[in-house]
Amino acid sequence: MYEKFVKRGIDVFLSFMACIVLAPFYLLIMLAIKIDSKGPVFFKQKRIGKDCKEFNILKFRTMRIDTPHDMPTHLLENPEQYITKVGKFLRKTSLDELPQIFNILAGQMSIIGPRPALWNQYDLTEERDKYGANNIKPGLTGWAQINGRDELEIEVKARLDGEYVERMSLGFDIKCFFGTIVSVLKSDGVVEGGTGEMKKHEENKEEQEVLK
């Protein structure tokens, strides 16, 4: 009931209002991207949606046009070399995700939900199946995003996505929404090529303790 009517109604209303309010910012970002590097302003990428159906997610382009396509950033060798100057700022502030408002209006995404996996991130998709996290619409942001984001290992991320499915409600969505604002302002969990960085940091810390 909540997901089908209330949540969808909120998604449509807020994304429509965002399109109007953020229009000037869209134009400034588009201009900055064109001045900074060659290529299109927007970037489309195949992602996994509700019930594992594929759709094309929309983002502001943050990488050079010669970047390997459909490859997770953490699998690129030295991903920093592909990111443009404007792209680095957009990724750090998560402004590159703003065009997904149109994915929300189209009914492919929700404002709050698990972040959509790449079509070839089979390990993440399979892990989410254990928790029913593939049975709801992916989101612009979600519970995992404010609890580690890029730093989380796949198993932890999928478990948090499953926790969101269990706790999904208006109150919990509001908590995720405002938690996202705080995380973006602090740039929490943003690590280029950083899937699993939290565990790596802990392992390095343990190694240093042993060497003392």
Side-chain angles (χ1 to χ4, degrees):
M1 181 71 175
Y2 169 71
E3 181 185 4
K4 188 174 182 180
F5 297 105
V6 180
K7 188 176 176 69
R8 178 57 184 159
I10 293 173
D11 285 342
V12 172
F13 176 74
L14 290 182
S15 56
F16 179 75
M17 292 301 296
C19 285
I20 298 174
V21 175
L22 298 176
F25 296 99
Y26 269 67
L27 292 174
L28 287 174
I29 292 173
M30 291 166 69
L31 182 61
I33 292 172
K34 292 300 292 184
I35 293 175
D36 184 45
S37 62
K38 295 180 180 179
V41 170
F42 296 108
F43 172 70
K44 289 183 179 180
Q45 194 174 55
K46 195 188 301 180
R47 295 291 180 114
I48 300 298
K50 182 179 180 181
D51 300 324
C52 293
K53 294 180 180 178
E54 296 179 353
F55 73 101
N56 287 318
I57 200 172
L58 195 63
K59 289 187 175 188
F60 282 123
R61 182 176 58 82
T62 60
M63 291 186 164
R64 302 198 319 250
I65 56 176
D66 61 338
T67 305
H69 196 61
D70 282 338
M71 182 179 289
T73 305
H74 68 276
L75 293 182
L76 290 173
E77 187 175 342
N78 188 18
E80 290 282 354
Q81 67 177 315
Y82 295 106
I83 302 173
T84 64
K85 293 178 181 178
V86 171
K88 188 172 184 178
F89 171 76
L90 293 178
R91 292 166 76 94
K92 185 176 181 179
T93 57
S94 296
L95 290 174
D96 60 315
E97 311 286 358
L98 285 181
Q100 288 159 48
I101 288 173
F102 298 108
N103 289 114
I104 295 172
L105 280 172
Q108 298 165 325
M109 291 178 61
S110 182
I111 293 175
I112 309 295
R115 283 296 298 162
L118 280 164
W119 66 273
N120 55 3
Q121 285 184 293
Y122 306 113
D123 47 357
L124 178 56
T125 303
E126 289 176 5
E127 195 67 24
R128 280 175 170 172
D129 265 335
K130 299 177 183 179
Y131 304 97
N134 291 321
N135 301 331
I136 63 173
K137 289 179 183 179
L140 181 64
T141 185
W143 186 229
Q145 301 308 109
I146 61 175
N147 283 283
R149 194 173 173 175
D150 297 333
E151 295 180 341
L152 298 175
E153 284 199 307
I154 284 173
E155 294 81 3
V156 179
K157 186 179 294 185
R159 179 172 53 78
L160 287 169
D161 290 334
E163 186 177 335
Y164 171 75
V165 174
E166 293 179 357
R167 300 175 62 182
M168 185 168 55
S169 63
L170 178 58
F172 197 55
D173 278 357
I174 291 174
K175 181 176 182 178
C176 290
F177 182 83
F178 285 104
T180 297
I181 295 176
V182 174
S183 294
V184 168
L185 291 176
K186 295 168 63 178
S187 295
D188 282 349
V190 180
V191 182
E192 293 302 344
T195 296
E197 285 297 319
M198 188 177 291
K199 184 175 180 180
K200 291 176 187 176
H201 176 72
E202 291 174 353
E203 290 175 347
N204 290 335
K205 188 176 181 180
E206 289 176 359
E207 289 178 1
Q208 290 173 5
E209 289 296 328
V210 172
L211 293 173
K212 285 183 179 180

